Amino acid sequence: MRSRIGPEPFKIKAVEPMRLPDRSVREEALVRANYNLFGLRSEEVYVDLLTDSGTGAMSAAQWAALMMGDEAYAGARSFYALKDAVKEILGFDYVIPAHQGRGAENVLFGTLCKKGDVIPFNMPFDTTMAHILNVGAKPVDCVVDEAFDLVSDYPFKGNVDIGKLETVINQYGKENIPLIMVTVTNNSGGGQPVSLQNIRDVSQVARKYGIPFFLDAARMAENAYFIKMREPSCANMSLKEIIRAMADAADGLAVSCKKDPLVNIGGMITCRNEEMYHVLLPRTILYEGFATYGGLAGRDLQALAQGLFEMTDEEYMSHRVAQVRHLGELLDEAGVPFVKPAGGHAIFVDAASFLPRIPQRLFPADVLAAEVYIEGAVRGIGLGALAFATADPETGSEVLPKLELFRLAIPRRAYTNSHMEYVAEVVNDVYKRRESVDYGLELAYEPPVKGIRHFLGKLRPKKL
Ligand code: F0G
């Protein structure tokens, strides 16, 4: 049954035309892109759901804030506007801006991790995993088993299994664990939330062993909204109070501000402790920029400060989550399998059951991405073996991920409900003809760096 979806809680001030390219253009573009949708030009795409990262629309207040940007190299007013917003909304005294989330990851993991270290996680996303692997450390998934039951409607599939977490700490030893990290919401596992209780439980374990606890908080506001809806003890808290309660449980945050904080570019690390702040600054200066700008223009810092307030708006967030759920319901009516419940920022189609004839080694999620693009110029992203396969450290043999998903990520405030209807029609049409899909994909080129082959890999079709 469809739930009610209200109209968009905004009106549109600036429009950007978009056109459906002809089928022949799409077919040529796909071949030119080597079956990797990162290789498409944006005008070859109609509805672009590759990512919700940096693709949202800024508000009138954010555009106005750009003009207030102070471009001083050091000590800019815009940095202090950000610092004040972080203090008010997240409660942290220290903030290090970064050019985007992976800049923050480079500073954090590059500074705190050494070869052989282990980072317990619920599940890391792509560049997060890549940064950890590339310093010679490894992430260890401690997510609850429900994360892998795609049809269960368990409300907090992003939760950490506290038993698994303690086992990992005891197995590897706390001296080899420079930090524990929890991603909110859990992007790799379907945009699924983590409960406030679970965040607090992880925090307690981290404190018990004296290990710093960080949230990867790119989608903290969506996570907080799910907490409000699904965690009875939080039903009467405001979104702002829940975000603050999540932050209060952590020693720090690493944030890609291109998601919930509503900017097109930006990232940050926050922490409470002056010592940690100073430990992180040298690498910030080497790779990002001076401590008060971290690779961002003053105007970017100013728009980010405003975005942090806007992400706490409940009317906006309730529509956002409803719009994603609406897409899910339209797919559900046609029987398309996807991770239930719908995620906060995206629908994650279960490519393994959508295209069961294609072995995971031949990248069914990426075949589905290609087919959906050909069908209606909708661009999503494959998040399966191409993105997340790893090598067994002892044997070197390939370890395939448990999930093989095709993600349709919804940019914030950019598309309307009727775009969701178009997307659902396109995916449903591919679903109807799914048995005629008679090929997989194999790698023709793979970059020599771990964890990033879905960005740069070249693929070619292989008949089943
Ligand atoms: N953490 C999470 C949970 C993310 O989803 C991402 C990026 C990052 C960190 C890295 O941030 O892109 O600003 O460098 N996710 C994007 C996505 C790209 O499509 O989900 P970034």
Side-chain angles (χ1 to χ4, degrees):
M1 203 184 61
R2 282 191 206 173
S3 36
R4 206 182 104 69
I5 177 166
E8 289 75 13
F10 50 80
K11 59 183 178 174
I12 294 163
K13 194 191 281 282
V15 295
E16 196 179 340
M18 49 189 265
R19 280 186 191 85
L20 177 64
D22 290 345
R23 193 177 176 103
S24 60
V25 172
R26 279 142 42 201
E27 283 169 353
E28 249 172 64
L30 186 65
V31 172
R32 196 209 60 234
N34 298 297
Y35 285 76
N36 181 337
L37 302 192
F38 278 102
L40 297 175
R41 296 171 64 127
S42 112
E43 64 267 29
E44 292 161 346
V45 178
Y46 189 42
V47 182
D48 198 351
L49 308 187
L50 180 71
T51 177
D52 62 321
S53 183
T55 51
M58 290 209 299
S59 65
Q62 285 179 292
W63 282 104
L66 291 184
M67 287 304 291
M68 301 306 290
D70 174 0
E71 306 301 342
Y73 188 96
R77 279 189 312 277
S78 303
F79 169 73
Y80 288 98
L82 174 64
K83 189 170 158 70
D84 290 348
V86 164
K87 177 72 184 170
E88 177 170 343
I89 292 170
L90 302 168
F92 291 96
D93 284 323
Y94 298 96
V95 57
I96 300 174
H99 78 281
Q100 62 180 87
R102 68 202 68 182
E105 287 162 2
N106 179 24
V107 170
L108 193 66
F109 299 122
T111 304
L112 299 183
C113 297
K114 60 181 186 330
K115 198 165 176 330
D117 279 350
V118 158
I119 321 281
F121 247 98
N122 45 356
M123 288 166 90
F125 195 57
D126 55 4
T127 57
T128 319
M129 179 156 122
H131 271 294
I132 295 170
L133 294 175
N134 282 292
V135 292
K138 80 170 179 185
V140 179
D141 285 2
C142 297
V143 73
V144 291
D145 291 339
E146 286 84 349
F148 303 104
D149 177 355
L150 304 192
V151 294
S152 129
D153 56 6
Y154 189 73
F156 291 107
K157 286 182 173 178
N159 275 1
V160 172
D161 180 324
I162 299 296
K164 285 187 198 169
L165 175 63
E166 294 239 23
T167 306
V168 167
I169 296 172
N170 291 320
Q171 184 185 343
Y172 291 96
K174 64 179 183 185
E175 61 288 356
N176 299 313
I177 303 183
L179 70 152
I180 296 170
M181 193 172 237
V182 173
T183 310
V184 292
T185 57
N186 182 20
N187 190 12
S188 304
Q192 301 295 315
V194 182
S195 71
L196 182 57
Q197 186 57 52
N198 191 250
I199 292 172
R200 287 176 170 160
D201 291 346
V202 174
S203 172
Q204 220 174 20
V205 172
R207 219 159 283 159
K208 181 167 111 187
Y209 292 95
I211 303 171
F213 170 37
F214 276 74
L215 290 173
D216 176 341
R219 300 180 181 86
M220 58 186 134
E222 290 163 7
N223 196 83
Y225 187 77
F226 283 126
I227 288 175
K228 185 173 168 68
M229 293 297 118
R230 298 180 188 173
E231 194 163 348
S233 60
C234 302
N236 295 323
M237 292 167 77
S238 68
L239 201 54
K240 206 169 164 187
E241 285 167 340
I242 299 173
I243 293 169
R244 181 57 184 270
M246 289 163 53
D248 281 350
D251 298 304
L253 309 178
V255 190
S256 166
C257 299
K258 302 171 71 173
K259 282 87 171 176
D260 277 349
L262 289 163
V263 285
N264 299 118
I265 193 74
M268 62 183 181
I269 300 172
T270 70
C271 63
R272 325 193 167 278
N273 158 327
E274 191 176 353
E275 195 188 325
M276 172 70 83
Y277 178 66
H278 285 287
V279 165
L280 296 175
L281 282 182
R283 197 168 171 95
T284 305
I285 297 191
L286 287 178
Y287 289 97
E288 295 296 300
F290 186 64
T292 61
Y293 77 89
L296 295 173
R299 55 182 172 274
D300 297 329
L301 298 167
Q302 200 81 43
L304 170 55
Q306 173 65 23
L308 286 173
F309 285 97
E310 292 182 12
M311 76 177 182
T312 69
D313 179 335
E314 298 199 19
E315 213 173 318
Y316 149 69
M317 188 53 76
S318 124
H319 179 268
R320 163 137 184 90
V321 170
Q323 189 179 52
V324 178
R325 188 177 60 225
H326 180 57
L327 174 58
E329 287 172 352
L330 297 173
L331 296 175
D332 210 22
E333 284 170 13
V336 174
F338 63 90
V339 180
K340 307 272 176 52
H345 66 296
I347 294 294
F348 291 71
V349 177
D350 178 7
S353 31
F354 195 117
L355 295 171
R357 285 168 61 205
I358 307 177
Q360 194 177 12
R361 238 164 256 295
L362 296 183
F363 309 131
D366 302 275
V367 174
L368 185 51
E371 288 299 309
V372 167
Y373 172 66
I374 289 294
E375 187 68 34
V378 172
R379 173 160 65 170
I381 187 176
L383 292 175
L386 183 65
F388 293 123
T390 48
D392 183 294
E394 267 119 56
T395 63
S397 64
E398 193 176 44
V399 183
L400 295 173
K402 289 189 186 145
L403 301 175
E404 185 68 26
L405 304 172
F406 164 61
R407 186 186 74 176
L408 297 160
I410 316 299
R412 294 168 182 78
R413 309 190 290 206
Y415 291 113
T416 63
N417 299 339
S418 69
H419 289 114
M420 298 304 110
E421 280 150 30
Y422 173 77
V423 171
E425 269 172 39
V426 169
V427 177
N428 294 346
D429 285 346
V430 177
Y431 192 60
K432 279 185 216 140
R433 62 170 179 78
R434 64 191 180 280
E435 277 162 23
S436 68
V437 179
D438 61 353
Y439 69 98
L441 290 167
E442 58 184 9
L443 277 161
Y445 163 78
E446 176 167 9
V449 172
K450 286 181 194 148
I452 59 166
R453 65 183 190 179
H454 55 306
F455 293 107
L456 297 176
K458 295 182 183 175
L459 300 159
R460 62 175 168 240
K462 183 172 188 318
K463 266 269 199 239
L464 290 181

